[in-house]
Amino acid sequence: MFIPFVVPGLALYVLAVLLPLLQTVAFSFTDWRGVTPPKFAGVENYRHVFTDPTFWSSLRHTLAFTALGYVLTFGFGLFFAWSLTYRFRGKHVVRAIIFLPCLFSVLVAALLWKFIYHPTLGPLNALLSKVGLDSLALTWLGDVRTAVPAVCLAWVWQSLGLWVLLISAGLERIPPELYEAARVDGASEWAVFRHVTIPLVWEILRVLTVLWLIQALQQFAFVFVMTKGGPAGVTEVVTTYIYGVAFQSRNYGYGMALATSMMLVILAVTLVVNRLARKESVEF
Amino acid sequence: MRSRGSNRFGAGIGALTAAAWLRYLALGAYCAFSLAAFLWVFLSSMKTNVEFVTSDPFSLPSRINFSNFVTAWNRANVGRFFANSVVVSGASTIGSLVLAFPTAYVVARMKSGRVRWVEHAYLTGIMVPTILTVVPLYLMFDRLHLVGTRLGLILIYVALMMPFSVYYLAGYLKSLPSELEEAAIVDGCSLSQVITRIVLPLSGPALAAVLVVNFLWAWNDFYYALIFLQNKETFTIPIGLYNLQFYAEYSLRYADLLAGMIINIIPVFVLYLFLQDYIVKGLTAGALKG
């Protein structure tokens, strides 16, 4: 009786989401290059993945982006969400301004930051030279020392609002009486934050961390738009590498082996983080 | 006992602790930076090409001038990109609601094992790393001659919107009492009549949240547009601007690009202004479903 209501959507969804997941794994064992039909190649692709220096360097960069992005997103996210639990004038405006960038296309945000970092036309270097710090004015995205944090900052700025919102939703669940009780006992603001707020939102932070990691480890757009993996490959992440292998070199089989390997990395990282965070919460 | 809020700010400015100063300073600096960035793009979009390249980045445009928007819209094809974005985002959003709403009703109300199986299939989808599974999707659509077409992109968007839409709508429908529907079925209403005449009119807030979240997602998508669209005729705004960027850098004509960025975010501002609560509710639920 319910079948006609469910089947059209389910068919499209299975065809475009679940089937490609299985195909990615299945075709990763072939030498498919698009022209000839795929031929089974055993574990040849995976042998190649293991010895591919670009895969390992791009994986290192992905992990570096993720680590830096995590510290910034959850550091500022927690701090801003906590600051927004206080009542003050203009709170709604502040909340809206922090939130707005995550409603922008990643492309617009990436272009905006590309302008900010532009060595001659951008406001950042102009500002530095105005305050007499010309020596600090760099080609931010073209310098191997600054490219990774520069791209990371753009990405964190664009996505921060959503995480502030989600962490706020967690903080709002804490009953105010607990804060009162702690303060009556003479706890400092930091002590309240450390010993009341953090333990009580720990479970939510753990869930949000895993959700964030799954997205962050697949980060593509900011690197692709801002640096294309350059300079000298220092910002090349796994997803931009796969894009190049699959859609520029048309080496589909190998691209899917890289993608499958990355899925395993994501699975491993999220499992480990989930496990460590769970252990930690037992201490409280 | 005083409430937490009045305890913290009611004491007045004079009593601000160091921690409070730090909070307001950080929030203020961050917001000031973001506002300055928006304002910079907006002011720069009114400069001429020569002005933008030669003047101080902090100078004001020589006059209030919206001609860049006209040029971008017409000569740089942003108008066409905009129309494509409206078609693709609009059609995929409507498609997702049409397909997800009946599914959500079935998931919310029916208890059979096969329905649970459907629910699990959608819940699985929430965890699929779709960025990494795009290659076989591309090859499949290539064989179906859907690569490079707006229809292909619409189908992909609908498929990707399904898990969240079903999850969110089913959650809402579960919170509605089912007596009215049961009475209608006793009176001889068919399932489709129950869905369209009784449940649909009650589901406005949930539909609005799904509609605006899905629309914004499609409007802003860059990744799938990059892979599945291949020529100017079908480009949506993000991929259109991405290509405009190369032209801007090569010929030092940044005016079209800056104006295009503003054109891209205007509908987002408008939606946020009017549907802020729905966006916030939808995004919060969407992320916390995992």
Side-chain angles (χ1 to χ4, degrees), chain A residues 13 85-87 103 105 114 130 157 183 189 211 218 224 228, chain B residues 4 8-9 23 34 38 41 56 121 125 131 138 220 242 245 287:
Chain A
Y13 163 73
T85 60
Y86 292 82
R87 250 183 247 170
L103 293 179
S105 170
K114 233 179 140 172
K130 271 210 171 76
W157 176 79
R183 209 160 286 117
E189 232 172 323
L211 286 174
Q218 299 181 74
F224 188 79
K228 270 263 159 68
Chain B
R4 185 171 142 225
R8 289 184 173 187
F9 197 59
R23 285 197 303 269
S34 291
F38 301 140
V41 174
D56 183 322
I131 300 279
Y138 173 85
N220 287 335
Y242 174 72
Q245 174 206 197

PDB file of all heavy atoms in Angstrom, chain A residues 13 85-87 103 105 114 130 157 183 189 211 218 224 228, chain B residues 4 8-9 23 34 38 41 56 121 125 131 138 220 242 245 287:
ATOM      1  N   TYR A  13      17.533   7.908  -4.697  1.00  0.00           N
ATOM      2  CA  TYR A  13      18.504   7.998  -3.618  1.00  0.00           C
ATOM      3  C   TYR A  13      19.477   6.814  -3.655  1.00  0.00           C
ATOM      4  O   TYR A  13      20.702   6.990  -3.542  1.00  0.00           O
ATOM      5  CB  TYR A  13      17.744   8.050  -2.292  1.00  0.00           C
ATOM      6  CG  TYR A  13      18.576   7.756  -1.091  1.00  0.00           C
ATOM      7  CD1 TYR A  13      19.501   8.674  -0.613  1.00  0.00           C
ATOM      8  CD2 TYR A  13      18.444   6.537  -0.426  1.00  0.00           C
ATOM      9  CE1 TYR A  13      20.266   8.387   0.493  1.00  0.00           C
ATOM     10  CE2 TYR A  13      19.205   6.255   0.679  1.00  0.00           C
ATOM     11  CZ  TYR A  13      20.120   7.169   1.132  1.00  0.00           C
ATOM     12  OH  TYR A  13      20.889   6.884   2.213  1.00  0.00           O
ATOM     13  N   THR A  85      25.951  32.746  26.104  1.00  0.00           N
ATOM     14  CA  THR A  85      24.992  32.323  27.127  1.00  0.00           C
ATOM     15  C   THR A  85      24.695  33.492  28.078  1.00  0.00           C
ATOM     16  O   THR A  85      23.722  33.460  28.810  1.00  0.00           O
ATOM     17  CB  THR A  85      25.510  31.147  27.992  1.00  0.00           C
ATOM     18  OG1 THR A  85      26.706  31.557  28.655  1.00  0.00           O
ATOM     19  CG2 THR A  85      25.763  29.908  27.152  1.00  0.00           C
ATOM     20  N   TYR A  86      25.552  34.516  28.048  1.00  0.00           N
ATOM     21  CA  TYR A  86      25.312  35.686  28.891  1.00  0.00           C
ATOM     22  C   TYR A  86      24.344  36.622  28.200  1.00  0.00           C
ATOM     23  O   TYR A  86      24.287  36.669  26.983  1.00  0.00           O
ATOM     24  CB  TYR A  86      26.627  36.433  29.141  1.00  0.00           C
ATOM     25  CG  TYR A  86      27.580  35.659  30.005  1.00  0.00           C
ATOM     26  CD1 TYR A  86      28.379  34.669  29.442  1.00  0.00           C
ATOM     27  CD2 TYR A  86      27.664  35.901  31.360  1.00  0.00           C
ATOM     28  CE1 TYR A  86      29.248  33.935  30.223  1.00  0.00           C
ATOM     29  CE2 TYR A  86      28.541  35.180  32.155  1.00  0.00           C
ATOM     30  CZ  TYR A  86      29.324  34.202  31.583  1.00  0.00           C
ATOM     31  OH  TYR A  86      30.184  33.490  32.353  1.00  0.00           O
ATOM     32  N   ARG A  87      23.595  37.373  28.988  1.00  0.00           N
ATOM     33  CA  ARG A  87      22.688  38.350  28.402  1.00  0.00           C
ATOM     34  C   ARG A  87      23.411  39.655  28.195  1.00  0.00           C
ATOM     35  O   ARG A  87      24.115  40.110  29.095  1.00  0.00           O
ATOM     36  CB  ARG A  87      21.501  38.571  29.342  1.00  0.00           C
ATOM     37  CG  ARG A  87      20.237  37.997  28.759  1.00  0.00           C
ATOM     38  CD  ARG A  87      19.096  38.312  29.686  1.00  0.00           C
ATOM     39  NE  ARG A  87      18.586  37.088  30.278  1.00  0.00           N
ATOM     40  CZ  ARG A  87      17.711  37.079  31.286  1.00  0.00           C
ATOM     41  NH1 ARG A  87      17.292  38.204  31.803  1.00  0.00           N
ATOM     42  NH2 ARG A  87      17.255  35.941  31.737  1.00  0.00           N
ATOM     43  N   LEU A 103      26.012  30.792   5.600  1.00  0.00           N
ATOM     44  CA  LEU A 103      24.943  30.740   4.593  1.00  0.00           C
ATOM     45  C   LEU A 103      25.468  31.149   3.223  1.00  0.00           C
ATOM     46  O   LEU A 103      24.746  31.140   2.241  1.00  0.00           O
ATOM     47  CB  LEU A 103      23.797  31.674   4.991  1.00  0.00           C
ATOM     48  CG  LEU A 103      23.031  31.267   6.250  1.00  0.00           C
ATOM     49  CD1 LEU A 103      21.945  32.279   6.542  1.00  0.00           C
ATOM     50  CD2 LEU A 103      22.431  29.887   6.072  1.00  0.00           C
ATOM     51  N   SER A 105      27.893  30.707  -0.108  1.00  0.00           N
ATOM     52  CA  SER A 105      28.562  29.650  -0.855  1.00  0.00           C
ATOM     53  C   SER A 105      30.025  29.600  -0.432  1.00  0.00           C
ATOM     54  O   SER A 105      30.657  30.638  -0.223  1.00  0.00           O
ATOM     55  CB  SER A 105      28.460  29.955  -2.346  1.00  0.00           C
ATOM     56  OG  SER A 105      29.276  29.081  -3.065  1.00  0.00           O
ATOM     57  N   LYS A 114      40.452  35.224  -0.740  1.00  0.00           N
ATOM     58  CA  LYS A 114      41.505  35.370  -1.748  1.00  0.00           C
ATOM     59  C   LYS A 114      41.786  36.849  -1.987  1.00  0.00           C
ATOM     60  O   LYS A 114      42.934  37.254  -2.138  1.00  0.00           O
ATOM     61  CB  LYS A 114      41.042  34.712  -3.047  1.00  0.00           C
ATOM     62  CG  LYS A 114      42.036  33.702  -3.577  1.00  0.00           C
ATOM     63  CD  LYS A 114      41.532  33.072  -4.830  1.00  0.00           C
ATOM     64  CE  LYS A 114      42.686  32.920  -5.794  1.00  0.00           C
ATOM     65  NZ  LYS A 114      42.296  32.144  -6.978  1.00  0.00           N
ATOM     66  N   LYS A 130      50.049  50.246   6.254  1.00  0.00           N
ATOM     67  CA  LYS A 130      49.546  51.482   6.887  1.00  0.00           C
ATOM     68  C   LYS A 130      50.064  51.628   8.317  1.00  0.00           C
ATOM     69  O   LYS A 130      50.336  52.726   8.770  1.00  0.00           O
ATOM     70  CB  LYS A 130      48.017  51.473   6.919  1.00  0.00           C
ATOM     71  CG  LYS A 130      47.408  52.078   5.668  1.00  0.00           C
ATOM     72  CD  LYS A 130      46.054  52.719   5.972  1.00  0.00           C
ATOM     73  CE  LYS A 130      45.568  53.495   4.780  1.00  0.00           C
ATOM     74  NZ  LYS A 130      45.042  52.619   3.720  1.00  0.00           N
ATOM     75  N   TRP A 157      36.363  30.506   9.247  1.00  0.00           N
ATOM     76  CA  TRP A 157      35.499  31.693   9.301  1.00  0.00           C
ATOM     77  C   TRP A 157      34.146  31.402   8.660  1.00  0.00           C
ATOM     78  O   TRP A 157      33.102  31.765   9.181  1.00  0.00           O
ATOM     79  CB  TRP A 157      36.172  32.856   8.569  1.00  0.00           C
ATOM     80  CG  TRP A 157      35.329  34.095   8.496  1.00  0.00           C
ATOM     81  CD1 TRP A 157      35.145  35.015   9.495  1.00  0.00           C
ATOM     82  CD2 TRP A 157      34.554  34.548   7.383  1.00  0.00           C
ATOM     83  NE1 TRP A 157      34.295  36.000   9.062  1.00  0.00           N
ATOM     84  CE2 TRP A 157      33.920  35.757   7.784  1.00  0.00           C
ATOM     85  CE3 TRP A 157      34.329  34.065   6.095  1.00  0.00           C
ATOM     86  CZ2 TRP A 157      33.084  36.467   6.927  1.00  0.00           C
ATOM     87  CZ3 TRP A 157      33.495  34.775   5.247  1.00  0.00           C
ATOM     88  CH2 TRP A 157      32.880  35.964   5.656  1.00  0.00           C
ATOM     89  N   ARG A 183      28.312  28.823  41.892  1.00  0.00           N
ATOM     90  CA  ARG A 183      28.739  30.163  42.261  1.00  0.00           C
ATOM     91  C   ARG A 183      28.506  30.426  43.755  1.00  0.00           C
ATOM     92  O   ARG A 183      29.311  31.103  44.390  1.00  0.00           O
ATOM     93  CB  ARG A 183      28.015  31.191  41.386  1.00  0.00           C
ATOM     94  CG  ARG A 183      28.844  32.433  41.186  1.00  0.00           C
ATOM     95  CD  ARG A 183      28.393  33.227  39.981  1.00  0.00           C
ATOM     96  NE  ARG A 183      28.773  32.591  38.728  1.00  0.00           N
ATOM     97  CZ  ARG A 183      27.919  32.163  37.839  1.00  0.00           C
ATOM     98  NH1 ARG A 183      26.624  32.259  38.041  1.00  0.00           N
ATOM     99  NH2 ARG A 183      28.341  31.611  36.722  1.00  0.00           N
ATOM    100  N   GLU A 189      34.706  32.061  37.655  1.00  0.00           N
ATOM    101  CA  GLU A 189      34.089  31.866  36.355  1.00  0.00           C
ATOM    102  C   GLU A 189      34.775  30.741  35.563  1.00  0.00           C
ATOM    103  O   GLU A 189      34.138  29.926  34.927  1.00  0.00           O
ATOM    104  CB  GLU A 189      34.144  33.173  35.558  1.00  0.00           C
ATOM    105  CG  GLU A 189      32.786  33.537  35.032  1.00  0.00           C
ATOM    106  CD  GLU A 189      32.776  34.917  34.419  1.00  0.00           C
ATOM    107  OE1 GLU A 189      33.461  35.820  34.934  1.00  0.00           O
ATOM    108  OE2 GLU A 189      32.092  35.075  33.416  1.00  0.00           O
ATOM    109  N   LEU A 211      30.923  14.423  13.796  1.00  0.00           N
ATOM    110  CA  LEU A 211      30.254  14.982  12.618  1.00  0.00           C
ATOM    111  C   LEU A 211      31.179  15.939  11.872  1.00  0.00           C
ATOM    112  O   LEU A 211      31.272  15.925  10.655  1.00  0.00           O
ATOM    113  CB  LEU A 211      29.005  15.758  13.040  1.00  0.00           C
ATOM    114  CG  LEU A 211      27.807  14.942  13.468  1.00  0.00           C
ATOM    115  CD1 LEU A 211      26.717  15.857  13.987  1.00  0.00           C
ATOM    116  CD2 LEU A 211      27.301  14.129  12.280  1.00  0.00           C
ATOM    117  N   GLN A 218      37.016  15.571   4.401  1.00  0.00           N
ATOM    118  CA  GLN A 218      36.681  15.624   2.970  1.00  0.00           C
ATOM    119  C   GLN A 218      36.774  17.037   2.415  1.00  0.00           C
ATOM    120  O   GLN A 218      36.248  17.335   1.344  1.00  0.00           O
ATOM    121  CB  GLN A 218      35.253  15.126   2.738  1.00  0.00           C
ATOM    122  CG  GLN A 218      35.001  13.706   3.148  1.00  0.00           C
ATOM    123  CD  GLN A 218      33.570  13.328   2.848  1.00  0.00           C
ATOM    124  OE1 GLN A 218      33.198  13.111   1.704  1.00  0.00           O
ATOM    125  NE2 GLN A 218      32.740  13.288   3.869  1.00  0.00           N
ATOM    126  N   PHE A 224      40.770  24.028  -3.228  1.00  0.00           N
ATOM    127  CA  PHE A 224      40.655  24.013  -4.685  1.00  0.00           C
ATOM    128  C   PHE A 224      40.551  25.425  -5.251  1.00  0.00           C
ATOM    129  O   PHE A 224      41.189  25.748  -6.249  1.00  0.00           O
ATOM    130  CB  PHE A 224      39.430  23.185  -5.094  1.00  0.00           C
ATOM    131  CG  PHE A 224      39.335  22.955  -6.563  1.00  0.00           C
ATOM    132  CD1 PHE A 224      40.111  21.984  -7.182  1.00  0.00           C
ATOM    133  CD2 PHE A 224      38.475  23.709  -7.338  1.00  0.00           C
ATOM    134  CE1 PHE A 224      40.035  21.774  -8.546  1.00  0.00           C
ATOM    135  CE2 PHE A 224      38.391  23.502  -8.711  1.00  0.00           C
ATOM    136  CZ  PHE A 224      39.168  22.533  -9.310  1.00  0.00           C
ATOM    137  N   LYS A 228      44.594  25.725  -5.267  1.00  0.00           N
ATOM    138  CA  LYS A 228      44.716  24.584  -6.184  1.00  0.00           C
ATOM    139  C   LYS A 228      45.805  23.615  -5.723  1.00  0.00           C
ATOM    140  O   LYS A 228      46.463  22.975  -6.527  1.00  0.00           O
ATOM    141  CB  LYS A 228      45.056  25.084  -7.586  1.00  0.00           C
ATOM    142  CG  LYS A 228      43.861  25.371  -8.460  1.00  0.00           C
ATOM    143  CD  LYS A 228      43.568  24.179  -9.363  1.00  0.00           C
ATOM    144  CE  LYS A 228      42.159  24.189  -9.872  1.00  0.00           C
ATOM    145  NZ  LYS A 228      41.864  25.256 -10.806  1.00  0.00           N
TER     146      LYS A 228
ATOM    147  N   ARG B   4      20.155  33.691  36.116  1.00  0.00           N
ATOM    148  CA  ARG B   4      21.535  33.671  35.673  1.00  0.00           C
ATOM    149  C   ARG B   4      21.864  34.925  34.856  1.00  0.00           C
ATOM    150  O   ARG B   4      22.913  35.522  35.000  1.00  0.00           O
ATOM    151  CB  ARG B   4      21.723  32.421  34.826  1.00  0.00           C
ATOM    152  CG  ARG B   4      23.126  32.187  34.391  1.00  0.00           C
ATOM    153  CD  ARG B   4      23.173  30.799  33.760  1.00  0.00           C
ATOM    154  NE  ARG B   4      24.045  30.819  32.641  1.00  0.00           N
ATOM    155  CZ  ARG B   4      23.770  30.282  31.488  1.00  0.00           C
ATOM    156  NH1 ARG B   4      22.624  29.695  31.289  1.00  0.00           N
ATOM    157  NH2 ARG B   4      24.632  30.333  30.513  1.00  0.00           N
ATOM    158  N   ARG B   8      24.552  38.197  35.653  1.00  0.00           N
ATOM    159  CA  ARG B   8      25.774  38.417  34.887  1.00  0.00           C
ATOM    160  C   ARG B   8      25.888  39.809  34.297  1.00  0.00           C
ATOM    161  O   ARG B   8      26.959  40.365  34.249  1.00  0.00           O
ATOM    162  CB  ARG B   8      25.858  37.385  33.778  1.00  0.00           C
ATOM    163  CG  ARG B   8      26.156  36.040  34.379  1.00  0.00           C
ATOM    164  CD  ARG B   8      26.336  35.031  33.324  1.00  0.00           C
ATOM    165  NE  ARG B   8      26.783  33.800  33.966  1.00  0.00           N
ATOM    166  CZ  ARG B   8      27.158  32.739  33.300  1.00  0.00           C
ATOM    167  NH1 ARG B   8      27.140  32.757  31.990  1.00  0.00           N
ATOM    168  NH2 ARG B   8      27.549  31.672  33.917  1.00  0.00           N
ATOM    169  N   PHE B   9      24.768  40.354  33.820  1.00  0.00           N
ATOM    170  CA  PHE B   9      24.947  41.653  33.194  1.00  0.00           C
ATOM    171  C   PHE B   9      24.221  42.737  33.949  1.00  0.00           C
ATOM    172  O   PHE B   9      24.530  43.912  33.815  1.00  0.00           O
ATOM    173  CB  PHE B   9      24.493  41.620  31.745  1.00  0.00           C
ATOM    174  CG  PHE B   9      25.009  42.762  30.941  1.00  0.00           C
ATOM    175  CD1 PHE B   9      26.365  42.966  30.802  1.00  0.00           C
ATOM    176  CD2 PHE B   9      24.126  43.660  30.343  1.00  0.00           C
ATOM    177  CE1 PHE B   9      26.855  44.027  30.069  1.00  0.00           C
ATOM    178  CE2 PHE B   9      24.617  44.717  29.625  1.00  0.00           C
ATOM    179  CZ  PHE B   9      25.979  44.917  29.476  1.00  0.00           C
ATOM    180  N   ARG B  23      35.372  38.449  26.830  1.00  0.00           N
ATOM    181  CA  ARG B  23      34.266  37.949  26.005  1.00  0.00           C
ATOM    182  C   ARG B  23      33.763  39.004  25.042  1.00  0.00           C
ATOM    183  O   ARG B  23      33.644  38.767  23.850  1.00  0.00           O
ATOM    184  CB  ARG B  23      33.096  37.519  26.900  1.00  0.00           C
ATOM    185  CG  ARG B  23      33.292  36.212  27.623  1.00  0.00           C
ATOM    186  CD  ARG B  23      31.972  35.700  28.116  1.00  0.00           C
ATOM    187  NE  ARG B  23      31.284  36.660  28.976  1.00  0.00           N
ATOM    188  CZ  ARG B  23      31.416  36.711  30.305  1.00  0.00           C
ATOM    189  NH1 ARG B  23      32.196  35.852  30.905  1.00  0.00           N
ATOM    190  NH2 ARG B  23      30.770  37.608  31.009  1.00  0.00           N
ATOM    191  N   SER B  34      34.071  40.678  10.437  1.00  0.00           N
ATOM    192  CA  SER B  34      33.160  40.127   9.431  1.00  0.00           C
ATOM    193  C   SER B  34      32.413  41.239   8.703  1.00  0.00           C
ATOM    194  O   SER B  34      32.290  41.222   7.481  1.00  0.00           O
ATOM    195  CB  SER B  34      32.146  39.186  10.074  1.00  0.00           C
ATOM    196  OG  SER B  34      32.807  38.018  10.516  1.00  0.00           O
ATOM    197  N   PHE B  38      32.423  42.155   4.630  1.00  0.00           N
ATOM    198  CA  PHE B  38      31.261  42.333   3.739  1.00  0.00           C
ATOM    199  C   PHE B  38      31.298  43.726   3.104  1.00  0.00           C
ATOM    200  O   PHE B  38      31.082  43.890   1.900  1.00  0.00           O
ATOM    201  CB  PHE B  38      29.928  42.237   4.499  1.00  0.00           C
ATOM    202  CG  PHE B  38      29.709  40.950   5.218  1.00  0.00           C
ATOM    203  CD1 PHE B  38      29.122  40.943   6.476  1.00  0.00           C
ATOM    204  CD2 PHE B  38      30.070  39.739   4.647  1.00  0.00           C
ATOM    205  CE1 PHE B  38      28.910  39.760   7.160  1.00  0.00           C
ATOM    206  CE2 PHE B  38      29.859  38.550   5.325  1.00  0.00           C
ATOM    207  CZ  PHE B  38      29.280  38.562   6.575  1.00  0.00           C
ATOM    208  N   VAL B  41      33.839  44.168   0.267  1.00  0.00           N
ATOM    209  CA  VAL B  41      33.416  43.606  -1.017  1.00  0.00           C
ATOM    210  C   VAL B  41      32.356  44.511  -1.649  1.00  0.00           C
ATOM    211  O   VAL B  41      32.403  44.814  -2.844  1.00  0.00           O
ATOM    212  CB  VAL B  41      32.840  42.178  -0.850  1.00  0.00           C
ATOM    213  CG1 VAL B  41      32.265  41.668  -2.166  1.00  0.00           C
ATOM    214  CG2 VAL B  41      33.908  41.238  -0.359  1.00  0.00           C
ATOM    215  N   ASP B  56      43.983  52.695  -3.408  1.00  0.00           N
ATOM    216  CA  ASP B  56      44.178  52.090  -2.095  1.00  0.00           C
ATOM    217  C   ASP B  56      42.995  51.159  -1.802  1.00  0.00           C
ATOM    218  O   ASP B  56      41.845  51.548  -1.978  1.00  0.00           O
ATOM    219  CB  ASP B  56      44.215  53.251  -1.079  1.00  0.00           C
ATOM    220  CG  ASP B  56      44.490  52.758   0.339  1.00  0.00           C
ATOM    221  OD1 ASP B  56      43.968  51.682   0.708  1.00  0.00           O
ATOM    222  OD2 ASP B  56      45.213  53.464   1.064  1.00  0.00           O
ATOM    223  N   ALA B 121      17.792   2.741   5.405  1.00  0.00           N
ATOM    224  CA  ALA B 121      18.508   3.088   4.174  1.00  0.00           C
ATOM    225  C   ALA B 121      18.809   4.585   4.151  1.00  0.00           C
ATOM    226  O   ALA B 121      19.925   5.001   3.827  1.00  0.00           O
ATOM    227  CB  ALA B 121      17.687   2.691   2.952  1.00  0.00           C
ATOM    228  N   GLY B 125      22.511   6.900   4.669  1.00  0.00           N
ATOM    229  CA  GLY B 125      22.953   7.928   3.728  1.00  0.00           C
ATOM    230  C   GLY B 125      23.557   9.136   4.395  1.00  0.00           C
ATOM    231  O   GLY B 125      24.420   9.813   3.840  1.00  0.00           O
ATOM    232  N   ILE B 131      31.398  13.178  -0.934  1.00  0.00           N
ATOM    233  CA  ILE B 131      32.442  13.836  -1.726  1.00  0.00           C
ATOM    234  C   ILE B 131      33.349  12.762  -2.357  1.00  0.00           C
ATOM    235  O   ILE B 131      33.820  12.899  -3.472  1.00  0.00           O
ATOM    236  CB  ILE B 131      33.296  14.757  -0.827  1.00  0.00           C
ATOM    237  CG1 ILE B 131      32.432  15.830  -0.170  1.00  0.00           C
ATOM    238  CG2 ILE B 131      34.471  15.351  -1.579  1.00  0.00           C
ATOM    239  CD1 ILE B 131      32.092  17.011  -0.994  1.00  0.00           C
ATOM    240  N   TYR B 138      29.602  10.122 -11.466  1.00  0.00           N
ATOM    241  CA  TYR B 138      29.933  10.846 -12.693  1.00  0.00           C
ATOM    242  C   TYR B 138      29.898   9.908 -13.907  1.00  0.00           C
ATOM    243  O   TYR B 138      29.317  10.230 -14.939  1.00  0.00           O
ATOM    244  CB  TYR B 138      31.314  11.491 -12.547  1.00  0.00           C
ATOM    245  CG  TYR B 138      31.814  12.125 -13.816  1.00  0.00           C
ATOM    246  CD1 TYR B 138      31.468  13.422 -14.162  1.00  0.00           C
ATOM    247  CD2 TYR B 138      32.627  11.408 -14.704  1.00  0.00           C
ATOM    248  CE1 TYR B 138      31.906  14.000 -15.327  1.00  0.00           C
ATOM    249  CE2 TYR B 138      33.074  11.978 -15.879  1.00  0.00           C
ATOM    250  CZ  TYR B 138      32.708  13.270 -16.189  1.00  0.00           C
ATOM    251  OH  TYR B 138      33.143  13.824 -17.357  1.00  0.00           O
ATOM    252  N   ASN B 220      24.122  27.246  -2.947  1.00  0.00           N
ATOM    253  CA  ASN B 220      25.521  27.465  -2.609  1.00  0.00           C
ATOM    254  C   ASN B 220      26.456  26.355  -3.078  1.00  0.00           C
ATOM    255  O   ASN B 220      27.662  26.497  -2.977  1.00  0.00           O
ATOM    256  CB  ASN B 220      25.667  27.608  -1.092  1.00  0.00           C
ATOM    257  CG  ASN B 220      25.123  28.931  -0.597  1.00  0.00           C
ATOM    258  OD1 ASN B 220      25.059  29.896  -1.348  1.00  0.00           O
ATOM    259  ND2 ASN B 220      24.714  28.967   0.652  1.00  0.00           N
ATOM    260  N   TYR B 242      33.350  31.058 -10.328  1.00  0.00           N
ATOM    261  CA  TYR B 242      34.652  30.393 -10.285  1.00  0.00           C
ATOM    262  C   TYR B 242      35.382  30.580 -11.620  1.00  0.00           C
ATOM    263  O   TYR B 242      36.582  30.873 -11.644  1.00  0.00           O
ATOM    264  CB  TYR B 242      34.461  28.908  -9.977  1.00  0.00           C
ATOM    265  CG  TYR B 242      35.736  28.111 -10.052  1.00  0.00           C
ATOM    266  CD1 TYR B 242      36.704  28.249  -9.075  1.00  0.00           C
ATOM    267  CD2 TYR B 242      35.962  27.230 -11.100  1.00  0.00           C
ATOM    268  CE1 TYR B 242      37.879  27.527  -9.135  1.00  0.00           C
ATOM    269  CE2 TYR B 242      37.138  26.498 -11.181  1.00  0.00           C
ATOM    270  CZ  TYR B 242      38.096  26.651 -10.192  1.00  0.00           C
ATOM    271  OH  TYR B 242      39.256  25.939 -10.268  1.00  0.00           O
ATOM    272  N   GLN B 245      36.501  34.178 -12.290  1.00  0.00           N
ATOM    273  CA  GLN B 245      37.676  34.528 -11.531  1.00  0.00           C
ATOM    274  C   GLN B 245      38.952  34.474 -12.383  1.00  0.00           C
ATOM    275  O   GLN B 245      39.803  35.348 -12.301  1.00  0.00           O
ATOM    276  CB  GLN B 245      37.775  33.563 -10.348  1.00  0.00           C
ATOM    277  CG  GLN B 245      39.014  33.697  -9.541  1.00  0.00           C
ATOM    278  CD  GLN B 245      39.372  32.396  -8.829  1.00  0.00           C
ATOM    279  OE1 GLN B 245      40.131  32.409  -7.922  1.00  0.00           O
ATOM    280  NE2 GLN B 245      38.813  31.276  -9.258  1.00  0.00           N
ATOM    281  N   ALA B 287      22.152  18.796  11.545  1.00  0.00           N
ATOM    282  CA  ALA B 287      23.491  18.379  11.960  1.00  0.00           C
ATOM    283  C   ALA B 287      23.438  17.406  13.127  1.00  0.00           C
ATOM    284  O   ALA B 287      24.286  16.544  13.254  1.00  0.00           O
ATOM    285  CB  ALA B 287      24.317  19.602  12.338  1.00  0.00           C
TER     286      ALA B 287
END
